[in-house]
Amino acid sequence: MAVDNIVYLIPILPVLAFVLTLAFGKKLPSGGGYIPILAIAISCIISILAFLQIYKTGIPIEVSAHWFSVLNVGIFIDPLASVMLLMVSFVSLLIHIYAIGYMAHDPGKPRYFAETALFTAAMLGVVLADNILQFFISWELVGLCSYLLIGFWFRKPTAAAAGKKAFLTTRVGDVLFLAGIVILYSSMRDVFLERFPAGIPDGIYLLQFSTIFENISHIDPTHLTIITLLFFGGAVGKSGQFPLHVWLPDAMEGPTTVSALIHAATMVTAGVYLVARTFPMFIASPAVELAGITIPATLTVVAYIGGFTALFASTMGLVMNDLKRVLAFSTISQLGYMMLALGMGSVIGVAAVGFAMFHLINHAFFKACLFLCAGSVIHSTGTNDLREMGGLMSKMKITGITMLFSSLALAGIGIPFLKIAGTPIGTSGFVSKDAIIVEGSYVFAHMTNDWIPFAFGILAALLTAIYTFRLWFMAFTGKPRQERHPHESPATMTGVLSILAAFALVFGMLTFLPFTDFVGHTYDHEEIHHLAVLGGNHVIDHHELHDVVHHASPIIFLLPVIVGVGGLLIAWVIYNRRWVSVASIGNMQNPLFAILAKRYYQHEIFIELISLKFTYGVLALTSEFSDRKIVDGIIDGISSFIIGGAEVLKKIQTGVVQNYATATVLGVGLIALILSFRGMI
Amino acid sequence: MLPVSYYLIVAAIVFCIGAYGVMTLRSGIMIMMCIELMLNAANINLIAFASHFSQVNGHVFVLFSIALAAAEAAIGFAILMSIFRSKNNVNIDNINILRW
């Protein structure tokens, strides 16, 4: 079909836009920003066509070509990839349009647009990859672009440092991911060499997803668990999960549009996508015992890390005064929800992928909207600090209202129990978070009696609502706390905000059932059940899931909304009505506030203890000592011996020809003597 | 007819005088002359053996050798001339710029 022949253009066009913008951007209006917009718009249209075709036929699009040896390059679009594609290209397109207005006064525009185009291309490459190696290459490109864009204002030392921090922190995850790929490759090679002792025939590509999934049952379970844990390590780095989340709040140093791009469309969702993409491997990984240590099943690790991150990050979001940092912590927290949802896969199977992806897409809309609203606020007030804002609603109506809508979505406000045609009524955040908490972690708790993920989810939802509305009340209501002259942003910016806010409000309601059903078709249910048995997981089927949810106590359904509205009210009481003095809670005498404001002393632990004391003080200085004194000492010794010897020997070179003549005569005489004596002996 | 060893002894003496001169003398012109001495000592040997073995090869070779010596003297004196122009003497001890 026609679409199959042009899908390769989806990542290629933004790459071309990158080259063109970099080369000619300076001579074009708006720094050449229209080139990436055009390219990504075409990519977006092709993505829509691909999506429609898959939606209609249910057959994934596969294009593959031989690369070398047992590796290939190719494009694979199944339901999972197609919805990701739509989201990435669409949100990225909107952010690019917005950036025309936002970056209007920046001299570095061509570089900005070139890099964001490459960023988008890399992310599309991640989504489209049909083998894990291509996935990894695009994944690394995403990391590179994030470094370039976070450090976009590289003359600002904090921005340069933030870029470096993001790069190095995600690099820890990338190394784990690469190690996982290496182990996977050797395991797959063993599997095929056993089957074809004479050598692997042509046309079998070891790292292709379809080949891997077909052979999961042949891979050694211990290896599988190690591989998936290493993959998850990569996802932890990219998606900012605990303990590699430290780079995300600092990533705010880049332009706000970059933050929106990183947090919504590209980069952080790559980690979640990786777990969703290799979900069959994750669900088949059992708990194993290795060298006396019991390693839990990978999905359990995913669920716990995700749940913990959701709660942990939201507590820190409560006390941040930087508008963008609050949003950064909320991103970490929402990514935690996605991981939590994927972790629930050990009980609810493929439905977990559906819920996680659904939350990912909804999150992309409302988080892009929140960030772009924040950008609009920063653009007009010139400050990031919430304490200096206030009363912006009267000056910036569109920004205020769109931000309110997306905040409602982030806090997950909706109407429980009311369902029209099986669809819940509420903001998109409500629909997807509700699905994760009720149909994910509640069902998980019901089946396994493990209530910890559920508790993580509920507590994080409460805190999310509090910090979200704290942000909104502080910025948009009350009296202006500082003399500033805010103004509404230009139409390219507010137009994009309105579109995104509309999506944040209604996308969830409109698409919940068809979406999860469609994404659920990514993997064959029978096969997932079979693999789950390998992993020691008991997966319940659709009807059982429905039964459990149906018989759940009403309090379970009410709880997410109660905590959402409760959080809203708490924020309203403290930050709008100010019945409780902010200063009485938010001072350093309050130990709880102090620990949050200090971000759990992460800076002290990660930077000063681990980085400075351990890595620098112990490892670096030891290796420096051995390098300087021992290795360099040997080399310096050899060279100074040779230099000293040469100092002595060079005196022979007197430059006087007669000395050389004498030496020659003496030498010849000596040879003559030796020869004549040898003759005598 | 004198035995060939007489010629060889004379040649050896002449050669040693030449070699000693090359090694010890200061003046460039004297050194050139000593080199001629050494060449001529070799020529004497060639002639001596040529007449001893009644062969013409040695005579021919000496002619080459003399031609070579002439060429060498021409070049050598040209070099000494240019040294003299720049340094105002031909004292070999002063020509030691190619040193450490």
Side-chain angles (χ1 to χ4, degrees), chain A residues 59-350:
Chain A
I59 304 162
I61 295 174
E62 286 177 275
V63 184
S64 171
H66 181 77
W67 186 12
F68 67 90
S69 177
V70 290
L71 299 174
N72 70 323
V73 283
I75 284 174
F76 180 66
I77 311 178
D78 57 358
L80 175 66
S82 72
V83 292
M84 263 310 262
L85 262 189
L86 273 187
M87 187 280 284
V88 171
S89 54
F90 182 62
V91 175
S92 176
L93 175 64
L94 291 183
I95 293 172
H96 275 81
I97 294 171
Y98 178 97
I100 294 273
Y102 186 80
M103 299 297 284
H105 308 300
D106 197 294
K109 266 179 295 183
R111 188 162 56 91
Y112 171 83
F113 282 110
E115 285 169 2
T116 51
L118 186 65
F119 202 11
T120 308
M123 189 62 199
L124 291 169
V126 166
V127 176
L128 289 168
D130 88 327
N131 63 78
I132 197 85
L133 195 66
Q134 199 182 332
F135 191 102
F136 183 72
I137 293 167
S138 308
W139 172 280
E140 286 295 305
L141 261 180
V142 169
L144 169 72
C145 291
S146 72
Y147 168 73
L148 293 173
L149 284 167
I150 293 168
F152 180 72
W153 289 314
F154 55 85
R155 289 197 175 82
K156 205 165 88 183
T158 50
K164 198 163 64 183
K165 189 172 182 181
F167 195 62
L168 290 179
T169 314
T170 52
R171 185 48 30 103
V172 175
D174 295 352
V175 170
L176 297 179
F177 185 16
L178 184 61
I181 293 174
V182 171
I183 300 176
L184 175 65
Y185 178 80
S186 76
S187 302
M188 287 296 289
R189 208 188 45 180
D190 290 349
V191 167
F192 275 92
L193 282 181
E194 202 169 303
R195 200 174 305 162
F196 305 102
I200 299 161
D202 290 348
I204 289 179
Y205 302 114
L206 293 186
L207 291 178
Q208 203 172 14
F209 287 123
S210 52
T211 320
I212 298 170
F213 293 162
E214 277 163 23
N215 292 287
I216 289 175
S217 54
H218 302 292
I219 298 174
D220 181 59
T222 315
H223 284 190
L224 197 61
T225 303
I226 294 170
I227 292 165
T228 48
L229 280 174
L230 288 169
F231 278 15
F232 183 59
V236 164
K238 261 305 185 264
S239 286
Q241 299 294 293
F242 181 83
L244 296 181
H245 61 281
V246 286
W247 65 273
L248 248 180
D250 287 14
M252 295 297 114
E253 290 292 343
T256 307
T257 42
V258 170
S259 307
L261 206 54
I262 290 179
H263 286 247
T266 57
M267 183 92 184
V268 294
T269 52
V272 178
Y273 183 70
L274 169 64
V275 178
R277 177 81 285 173
T278 53
F279 187 73
M281 294 168 70
F282 275 77
I283 201 165
S285 308
V288 292
E289 200 153 307
L290 195 72
I293 305 162
T294 312
I295 302 171
T298 316
L299 278 180
T300 317
V301 177
V302 173
Y304 275 85
I305 298 258
F308 179 70
T309 309
L311 180 60
F312 179 70
S314 57
T315 56
M316 287 183 283
L318 287 175
V319 297
M320 291 298 132
N321 286 320
D322 184 325
L323 178 62
K324 285 163 78 185
R325 269 181 208 263
V326 177
L327 296 178
F329 280 112
S330 89
T331 303
I332 300 175
S333 168
Q334 298 303 310
L335 289 164
Y337 269 112
M338 295 168 209
M339 288 297 183
L340 176 70
L342 287 166
M344 296 302 107
S346 58
V347 168
I348 59 174
V350 189

Side-chain angles (χ1 to χ4, degrees), chain A residues 647 649-663 665-666, chain B residues 19 21-27 31 38 92-93 95-100:
Chain A
E647 279 295 328
L649 288 175
K650 78 178 181 186
K651 299 281 193 293
I652 295 173
Q653 302 289 332
T654 56
V656 180
V657 186
Q658 286 168 307
N659 295 357
Y660 305 153
T662 314
V665 170
L666 288 178
Chain B
V22 167
M23 284 187 275
T24 56
L25 289 174
R26 292 247 167 117
S27 163
I31 290 170
M38 287 158 79
I92 290 297
D93 284 1
I95 319 295
N96 61 352
I97 48 171
L98 273 177
R99 67 199 289 264
W100 53 274

Side-chain angles (χ1 to χ4, degrees), chain B residues 35-85:
Chain B
I35 291 171
E36 294 302 313
L37 276 185
M38 287 158 79
L39 272 170
N40 282 324
N43 289 348
I44 290 170
N45 276 6
L46 285 168
I47 297 290
F49 282 115
S51 78
H52 179 72
F53 293 113
S54 304
Q55 281 196 335
V56 83
N57 298 18
H59 299 282
V60 175
F61 215 86
V62 167
L63 284 178
F64 280 120
S65 178
I66 289 169
L68 198 95
E72 175 248 302
I75 293 170
F77 282 109
I79 292 170
L80 287 176
M81 284 288 283
S82 65
I83 289 171
F84 184 79
R85 274 191 198 152

Side-chain angles (χ1 to χ4, degrees), chain A residues 554-565:
Chain A
I555 193 81
I556 298 293
F557 291 99
L558 277 175
L559 213 48
V561 182
I562 290 172
V563 295
V565 176

